Amino acid sequence: MAFYKTLLLFFLVAACAAFDAMAQLSPDYYSSTCPKAESIVRAGVAEAMKNETRNGASLLRMHFHDCFVQGCDGSILLDDNATFVGEKTAVPNINSIRGYFIIDDIKDSLESACPGVVSCADIVALAARDSVVLMGGPNWEVDLGRRDSLTASKDLANKSIPPPSSDLKALTTSFSVQGLSFKDMVVLSGAHTIGFSRCTSFRGHIYGDSKIDPLYANSLKKICPIKGNDDVLASLDFPNPHRFDNSYYTNLIHKKGLLHSDQVLFDDNSADSLVQSYANTPPLFFKDFADAIVKMSNIKPLTGKQGEVRKNCRKTN
């Protein structure tokens, strides 16, 4: 009984913290101080995706990796300095997270329009939303008013972001620690409907797992041998990595998940029914994804006098 009382208290505290955070954030936060903030971010994302469509998926991934380490505070953008080693060289981020220069360009535009007003953390959150919309996905209202962290943590990044080798239990735990539910985990994994992954991330799945379509595995083995070609890319969502849709879930049903951590979502377990629902009902996936990413975007934001608004997203003021 004591265990369940403690567990209940934990969830009540987490829920109250999430409510407090959302109460301090607002979609109208910059309406008077920088009314063109959202349009400036959207234009920057559109230009980046015009140069390379893949940038959209990169910006969405950046938001996820930022929020899972210290909360959604822009810590992922900080370069190493004399007081800490940043998150950019953590295992989940190095050779994986892209788009830092895009955030730099957007920040420069915002500093010209309204100096010292829009945080880097809010830019990352807005850029993720705009990327999804521009790739055909759902729209959602972004709560704004996050402030930027003064620190970053390579160690925490290594511990908090689930690797592509994760099983269902590990994924569930990683999301639960962030206050996200099992359903949130399954639907946010649908972000893998866009983008690419390196051979090093899916090699173990195509050579070591039985729950994968043999023809699909063989096609991947042609570009990703047991040794070598580590940086060769494969689309997370075969065959269209540039369109935000529900085909990720259809692929899982046909055992064509690129990563081990993808395919475990459809493996005769408790996630199967959700995967089938999202595969059969695209509007449901879009709605639930938007709801879940709003929830994720509100993980432990810095507000009020916490943190700062950086002038340069790569370093503290």
Side-chain angles (χ1 to χ4, degrees):
M1 183 64 69
F3 169 78
Y4 289 106
K5 287 182 178 180
T6 301
L7 189 63
L8 178 61
L9 180 61
F10 169 80
F11 283 114
L12 286 173
V13 171
C16 289
F19 178 81
D20 288 344
M22 293 183 71
Q24 295 181 63
L25 301 178
S26 166
D28 301 320
Y29 187 82
Y30 298 115
S31 60
S32 60
T33 56
C34 192
K36 294 184 178 180
E38 291 198 48
S39 61
I40 290 172
V41 174
R42 189 176 304 114
V45 172
E47 181 64 24
M49 291 180 62
K50 181 180 178 181
N51 293 332
E52 185 182 3
T53 309
R54 183 187 172 197
N55 285 329
S58 298
L59 291 169
L60 178 58
R61 182 178 296 177
M62 179 186 289
H63 185 36
F64 169 78
H65 283 222
D66 182 38
C67 289
F68 265 54
V69 183
Q70 301 184 172
C72 307
D73 61 359
S75 61
I76 195 171
L77 304 172
L78 286 170
D79 290 336
D80 299 352
N81 63 28
T83 60
F84 62 76
V85 177
E87 297 160 25
K88 292 180 178 179
T89 56
V91 173
N93 295 335
I94 192 169
N95 298 319
S96 175
I97 296 300
R98 305 166 66 253
Y100 297 114
F101 70 95
I102 301 171
I103 302 299
D104 292 339
D105 290 345
I106 294 172
K107 180 61 173 174
D108 288 345
S109 297
L110 286 166
E111 286 298 300
S112 295
C114 35
V117 174
V118 181
S119 70
C120 301
D122 276 346
I123 295 172
V124 172
L126 287 168
R129 188 272 309 274
D130 294 340
S131 295
V132 170
V133 172
L134 288 169
M135 299 181 88
N139 195 0
W140 62 88
E141 198 169 58
V142 179
D143 294 311
L144 301 168
R146 300 166 191 78
R147 287 169 65 84
D148 298 320
S149 66
L150 301 172
T151 62
S153 174
K154 178 179 179 178
D155 183 59
L156 195 56
N158 282 326
K159 292 178 180 177
S160 300
I161 301 169
S165 58
S166 298
D167 60 19
L168 189 65
K169 181 179 179 180
L171 288 173
T172 303
T173 300
S174 293
F175 279 71
S176 177
V177 167
Q178 304 297 338
L180 298 171
S181 69
F182 184 82
K183 179 181 176 182
D184 294 331
M185 181 270 292
V186 176
V187 74
L188 288 174
S189 294
H192 283 180
T193 187
I194 55 175
F196 298 81
S197 186
R198 297 167 65 232
C199 171
T200 52
S201 295
F202 60 84
R203 178 181 281 129
H205 180 46
I206 65 175
Y207 286 101
D209 290 345
S210 60
K211 297 296 181 69
I212 184 170
D213 177 79
L215 293 178
Y216 177 58
N218 286 335
S219 69
L220 293 169
K221 289 175 182 178
K222 292 178 181 178
I223 63 170
C224 180
I226 293 179
K227 292 184 179 180
N229 287 7
D230 287 357
D231 294 329
V232 167
L233 300 174
S235 59
L236 283 160
D237 183 351
F238 176 82
N240 191 352
H242 300 306
R243 180 75 182 174
F244 195 101
D245 56 26
N246 70 324
S247 59
Y248 168 80
Y249 297 101
T250 305
N251 287 343
L252 296 185
I253 291 173
H254 292 101
K255 297 183 180 180
K256 293 182 179 179
L258 180 65
L259 308 177
H260 178 82
S261 58
D262 291 326
Q263 195 57 57
V264 295
L265 299 182
F266 195 79
D267 188 17
D268 296 323
N269 57 44
S270 52
D272 287 6
S273 60
L274 282 169
V275 169
Q276 290 173 328
S277 294
Y278 295 142
N280 294 331
T281 315
L284 177 65
F285 167 50
F286 275 29
K287 176 188 178 299
D288 286 356
F289 183 87
D291 290 344
I293 202 165
V294 167
K295 186 176 176 182
M296 186 194 80
S297 298
N298 285 283
I299 296 174
K300 296 181 288 188
L302 300 176
T303 57
K305 295 183 179 181
Q306 297 174 314
E308 64 181 7
V309 175
R310 295 184 212 135
K311 297 176 182 177
N312 181 333
C313 291
R314 294 176 181 264
K315 61 183 182 179
T316 59
N317 295 337

